[in-house]
Amino acid sequence: MGPPARGGRPPLTMIEHSPDPSRPDPAAHRRPSIAARIGSIGVNRAGALLLLLATAAAVVWANISTGSYHDLWETHLTVGVGDLRLDFTLHALVNDALMAIFFFTVGLEVRREFAIGELTSWSRAVVPVIAAIAGLVVPAVLFVLIASGTGHENAWGIVISTDTAFLVGALALIGPKASGRLRVFLLALAVVDDIGALSIIALFYTADFTPLPLLIAAAGLVGIYFTRYVRYGRGPIYATLAIVVWLSFLASGVHPTLAGVAVALLVPVYRPNRRDVEQALELARTFRQSPNSEYARLAANSLRESISINERLQSAYAPYVAYVILPLFALANAGVELSGEILSAALRSPLTWAIVVGLVVGKFVGVWGSAFVMKTFRWGEFGPGLTLDRIAGGAALCGIGFTISLFIVDLSIDDETAQNQARVGVLAASVIAFVLATAVFRLSDARRPEDDGGRTLVRPVDPSRDHISGPVDAPLTIVEYGDFQCEFCLKASGSIEEVRKELGDGLRYVWRHAPLERFHPNALAAAEAAEAAALQGKLFEFGRSLFADQEHQLPSDIIRRARELGLDVDRFEEDLVSPEVSARVRDDMLDAEAMDITAVPTFYINGQRHIGPYDAQSLIRALYATAGEDAAQSPRE
């Protein structure tokens, strides 16, 4: 903890000692075991494991006691009085009502990615978008070709979608080390995949359409949009209107789960405004000085309102979706009888093979094949670490089409025997895709030399992108990955100044962001603030001001620094919450992950990683030792 701030104000930060870069931790470079990964389990991985356990439980239950399994899910429930009643089965409650909440969370993610995430910039989004589209089309074509003549050609929707929950969980368990950029690629792909799947459900798997209730749904959606302008009590309004919209979709014949998506797309999303954060902090400080219920309520409301309702709802619903809704869905839909007769029929069924080939082969060919074409012809941007062999493993994982695949089985096939064959195909394809992805990732890792990771700068210096101090064509180059709240980076800044004085125009110095959020809670905000200052040509000046007072990184301190440096403060504040700024910092962080950077500062001297002391003379010796002949002979200025 740092010393008290000026005027008695406690500092916002609680800076912990980050790893010393001159003493690397050998354990940081070892690949964690699956047991270790499970030990540090999160919501996505836990949800995927629960989904797997629920699937196994459903299969076992359906084969031990078929009657009790089907009888339970066909139990009828009635809600309401008189003529205002809803009559549905327990199975329909899960598939129509609870799954609407699942699709609501999917819609929230879609909305967020288009507003402030990976899909805000076409240059970043083009690769996963095209891969996702190819991953929708190729499986459907293969399915139709194989299932032709069976009478079930219209069930091609079964093979179009990837199960996002399983995808993320499986990647966390079996994915390669430093898989951050692959994870971003797959999540962006999954968002587009979900949009395609939901659109296909609406267009091709809606029966008995009645348009009039949709007018009521439209009015409810308009009300949801304008609820954002209500100052207090928005939660009950959102909930009430969402129920009205769901009932209207149900009455119209459009599958009611799509109501969840429609509602989610109208929920506002934005990055935290620093003035709102500052106000929340001031209220929290007031409550600390004078604790009472009124100040507590104001502080809590202010903290809550500083985060968009989209992100609050995602956080609130994620555990219920992962731990309750998806496992219940698997329990209700994955109960496939696996008798010898059924398995024999499935093995001979073109429908089963159409699903297996569509998901396993179609997804792989569509996703990896489109990525191969784009990389060959240099379409779109592939960041460092997003290699074709890594994409191959991710493409194999895309063949896990569990949740929506089983969902569309119920919508597209009426015959119970054919449904069983389809479910066998979905389960088999998911297992094959998981095993195939594991093999691809292991082969990919085996081909990479153990000592190669991180020794060479993966992203060459680019004057059009990088923050460069000194002549852009200087013969000697230092690239620093750093953190504005790291004590070691503060020390290194003095060394860099000495090197620049010694070498003059013979050196170009490049700063890239690698905030260690685990140790420095405000490091990411500081990096984004510096990046916003860079848009006005003052990254290095802003960085020096951050280093000069590492303990004070409150939003008001950030704005004060911008004002003192003569920046356009209004523009600066707009840039702070822009997707471009956050994306630029995130790109550097993903590059750092791809190079196993776990401590800062990390220096790359003429493209090679510097190990050891980083005092000025050590850096200068390393510069000349790794330079070409011309640079080594150039005089120091």
Side-chain angles (χ1 to χ4, degrees):
M1 188 83 173
R6 291 182 296 273
R9 187 181 71 179
L12 173 66
T13 59
M14 294 180 64
I15 299 179
E16 298 180 23
H17 288 288
S18 55
D20 186 340
S22 64
R23 298 178 181 177
D25 179 9
H29 299 284
R30 290 200 297 264
R31 181 188 180 86
S33 66
I34 290 180
R37 295 184 185 202
I38 294 175
S40 60
I41 204 161
V43 172
N44 287 324
R45 284 173 280 182
L49 289 173
L50 278 177
L51 198 57
L52 185 61
L53 291 173
T55 301
V59 172
V60 171
W61 183 6
N63 284 274
I64 291 177
S65 179
T66 303
S68 66
Y69 178 83
H70 291 290
D71 289 345
L72 174 68
W73 297 113
E74 292 303 316
T75 301
H76 275 264
L77 304 172
T78 301
V79 177
V81 293
D83 293 333
L84 297 175
R85 291 188 304 174
L86 285 176
D87 183 66
F88 46 84
T89 64
L90 194 56
H91 185 266
L93 174 66
V94 172
N95 281 25
D96 294 352
L98 293 184
M99 285 301 284
I101 299 175
F102 165 71
F103 282 112
F104 174 71
T105 61
V106 171
L108 289 174
E109 184 178 5
V110 170
R111 175 80 174 90
R112 185 185 185 284
E113 289 300 320
F114 273 107
I116 60 175
E118 283 301 306
L119 302 180
T120 55
S121 168
W122 181 248
S123 63
R124 294 201 314 272
V126 63
V127 174
V129 166
I130 292 178
I133 293 171
L136 291 168
V137 173
V138 175
V141 171
L142 288 177
F143 178 93
V144 172
L145 290 174
I146 297 171
S148 180
T150 64
H152 298 296
E153 296 89 344
N154 67 314
W156 52 269
I158 295 171
V159 300
I160 60 171
S161 185
T162 296
D163 189 302
T164 304
F166 262 134
L167 178 72
V168 173
L171 182 65
L173 289 173
I174 66 169
K177 188 177 180 181
S179 60
R181 204 176 293 278
L182 175 63
R183 186 178 185 275
V184 170
F185 166 80
L186 290 176
L187 281 176
L189 181 150
V191 167
V192 179
D193 183 278
D194 287 337
I195 294 171
L198 297 172
S199 302
I200 286 165
I201 290 171
L203 294 172
F204 296 98
Y205 297 109
T206 294
D208 304 322
F209 177 63
T210 305
L212 184 59
L214 287 184
L215 296 177
I216 300 173
L221 292 171
V222 170
I224 287 171
Y225 176 82
F226 284 105
T227 298
R228 69 185 66 191
Y229 300 110
V230 177
R231 293 197 63 183
Y232 302 108
R234 291 192 296 267
I237 299 174
Y238 276 126
T240 302
L241 291 175
I243 292 171
V244 169
V245 171
W246 183 84
L247 290 171
S248 301
F249 270 71
L250 182 67
S252 73
V254 175
H255 204 279
T257 53
L258 297 178
V261 181
V263 170
L265 293 178
L266 295 174
V267 173
V269 58
Y270 48 82
R271 300 191 67 224
N273 182 286
R274 293 178 188 271
R275 291 186 185 277
D276 293 339
V277 174
E278 184 76 12
Q279 181 183 17
L281 288 168
E282 290 296 336
L283 288 169
R285 192 175 296 112
T286 302
F287 171 69
R288 180 184 178 185
Q289 295 168 351
S290 179
N292 61 60
S293 59
E294 180 64 17
Y295 285 141
R297 184 183 64 81
L298 290 173
N301 286 342
S302 184
L303 283 169
R304 185 172 58 251
E305 293 300 319
S306 67
I307 304 297
S308 74
I309 188 171
N310 177 291
E311 295 186 82
R312 298 204 306 270
L313 288 172
Q314 283 196 64
S315 299
Y317 281 106
Y320 298 103
V321 170
Y323 301 148
V324 179
I325 293 174
L326 288 180
L328 272 177
F329 173 81
L331 199 60
N333 290 274
V336 183
E337 295 179 53
L338 299 177
S339 65
E341 182 181 347
I342 290 174
L343 288 176
S344 177
L347 284 171
R348 298 192 306 269
S349 169
L351 174 61
T352 303
W353 284 107
I355 292 171
V356 171
V357 173
L359 282 171
V360 177
V361 179
K363 280 290 183 182
F364 183 87
V365 171
V367 173
W368 187 84
S370 60
F372 175 81
V373 171
M374 285 185 282
K375 193 145 195 173
T376 300
F377 291 98
R378 301 181 183 276
W379 299 339
E381 180 184 351
F382 289 76
L386 189 59
T387 55
L388 285 175
D389 56 344
R390 295 275 174 87
I391 294 175
L397 276 182
C398 289
I400 303 177
F402 189 83
T403 304
I404 293 182
S405 294
L406 289 178
F407 189 74
I408 296 179
V409 166
D410 194 56
L411 296 178
S412 61
I413 300 174
D414 296 323
D415 180 67
E416 188 174 340
T417 301
Q419 283 185 347
N420 260 340
Q421 293 172 358
R423 292 188 182 110
V424 169
V426 171
L427 295 177
S430 298
V431 171
I432 293 170
F434 182 83
V435 172
L436 178 62
T438 303
V440 171
F441 283 136
R442 294 298 174 268
L443 289 171
S444 170
D445 284 348
R447 291 179 55 206
R448 298 171 186 272
E450 286 294 328
D451 61 347
D452 188 50
R455 294 184 64 182
T456 304
L457 188 67
V458 296
R459 186 192 292 272
V461 175
D462 179 358
S464 66
R465 173 191 184 274
D466 277 312
H467 306 301
I468 300 176
S469 177
V472 296
D473 58 350
L476 303 172
T477 300
I478 293 179
V479 176
E480 177 182 356
Y481 281 85
D483 173 330
F484 289 113
Q485 284 199 295
C486 173
E487 59 187 296
F488 299 110
C489 294
L490 172 60
K491 175 185 173 183
S493 65
S495 298
I496 292 296
E497 285 303 315
E498 290 184 43
V499 174
R500 292 172 63 183
K501 288 178 183 178
E502 179 80 13
L503 301 182
D505 288 342
L507 174 75
R508 63 175 179 177
Y509 166 73
V510 180
W511 169 273
R512 290 178 180 173
H513 305 285
L516 300 182
E517 296 176 272
R518 175 184 169 190
F519 302 98
H520 309 136
N522 296 324
L524 178 60
E528 291 178 346
E531 200 60 42
L535 295 178
Q536 298 186 46
K538 293 196 176 181
L539 177 132
F540 291 106
E541 294 91 334
F542 200 92
R544 283 193 290 271
S545 73
L546 289 170
F547 278 135
D549 190 4
Q550 290 183 316
E551 290 289 349
H552 298 96
Q553 308 294 347
L554 286 166
S556 57
D557 297 319
I558 295 294
I559 301 301
R560 172 178 53 79
R561 287 190 174 92
R563 188 175 291 110
E564 290 172 352
L565 289 171
L567 299 179
D568 181 334
V569 176
D570 290 337
R571 178 186 167 191
F572 178 78
E573 290 193 79
E574 290 178 6
D575 290 334
L576 276 177
V577 296
S578 69
E580 292 78 14
V581 162
S582 62
R584 176 64 174 77
V585 174
R586 186 169 61 248
D587 274 349
D588 278 358
M589 294 170 68
L590 290 171
D591 290 352
E593 183 199 51
M595 295 183 294
D596 285 333
I597 292 176
T598 56
V600 291
T602 292
F603 293 102
Y604 282 84
I605 307 295
N606 297 320
Q608 298 300 308
R609 190 165 185 160
H610 176 70
I611 305 297
Y614 49 90
D615 60 276
Q617 292 307 312
S618 295
L619 292 177
I620 290 171
R621 284 194 295 270
L623 281 164
Y624 281 105
T626 59
E629 184 177 342
D630 293 340
Q633 292 176 355
S634 63
R636 300 182 186 185
E637 298 188 17

